[in-house]
Amino acid sequence: MQENRARRVADALRDRGIDAHLARPDAMVFGIRVTIGDGREAIWDTDGTATLEAQIMRDGMLVGFVPVIEGSEDFDEAQVVDAIARADYNQPIASLRATAPPPEPALPRDGGVFRRFFDGFRYK
């Protein structure tokens, strides 16, 4: 996933009340990290493929995954946000709910006022 796209998706998820962050697992590799709440994190789309999938980690160990979402290679940003919002992490092999849960109050964006300083003014 491209850095700016990953940033916009994370921001859109935070606007829906989902605790999402830009993930940077390696140099020039970007994705979305969603904090699930019980010590687990879902790491979305950091494998460099065009499809959307996630690994669910706890303390650095793989404890589950979201299999490849069919047709996700053609998703626009709104569809990516919807797919991540619909993910149900209650089983080791996660699935997508039929509909997304209702939005929660928006969370503040990562970095706040200093966001562009931290990121080196690479975007607007």
Side-chain angles (χ1 to χ4, degrees):
M1 186 178 286
Q2 296 175 347
E3 178 183 12
N4 289 334
R5 182 176 186 184
R7 186 181 319 282
R8 289 189 301 268
V9 169
D11 289 345
L13 288 165
R14 291 187 73 78
D15 290 344
R16 294 182 67 147
I18 297 170
D19 192 10
H21 308 275
L22 178 68
R24 296 178 185 164
D26 203 359
M28 301 309 295
V29 176
F30 301 94
I32 308 297
R33 179 174 50 88
V34 176
T35 304
I36 298 170
D38 59 353
R40 296 179 299 158
E41 294 179 329
I43 310 297
W44 286 88
D45 209 27
T46 57
D47 62 354
T49 63
T51 56
L52 188 63
E53 69 282 325
Q55 296 138 1
I56 302 170
M57 310 291 279
R58 178 182 288 138
D59 297 327
M61 299 294 292
L62 182 68
V63 295
F65 66 96
V66 179
V68 171
I69 298 172
E70 294 298 320
S72 61
E73 61 272 3
D74 298 321
F75 280 7
D76 61 12
E77 288 176 22
Q79 291 172 308
V80 171
V81 170
D82 181 62
I84 293 173
R86 289 188 301 127
D88 183 6
Y89 304 107
N90 292 329
Q91 299 294 323
I93 300 175
S95 61
L96 296 183
R97 299 178 186 104
T99 59
E104 305 262 334
L107 300 171
R109 296 201 173 166
D110 284 341
V113 112
F114 298 105
R115 177 177 174 155
R116 290 193 63 215
F117 290 105
F118 293 142
D119 292 335
F121 296 98
R122 291 190 303 270
Y123 57 90
K124 293 182 180 181

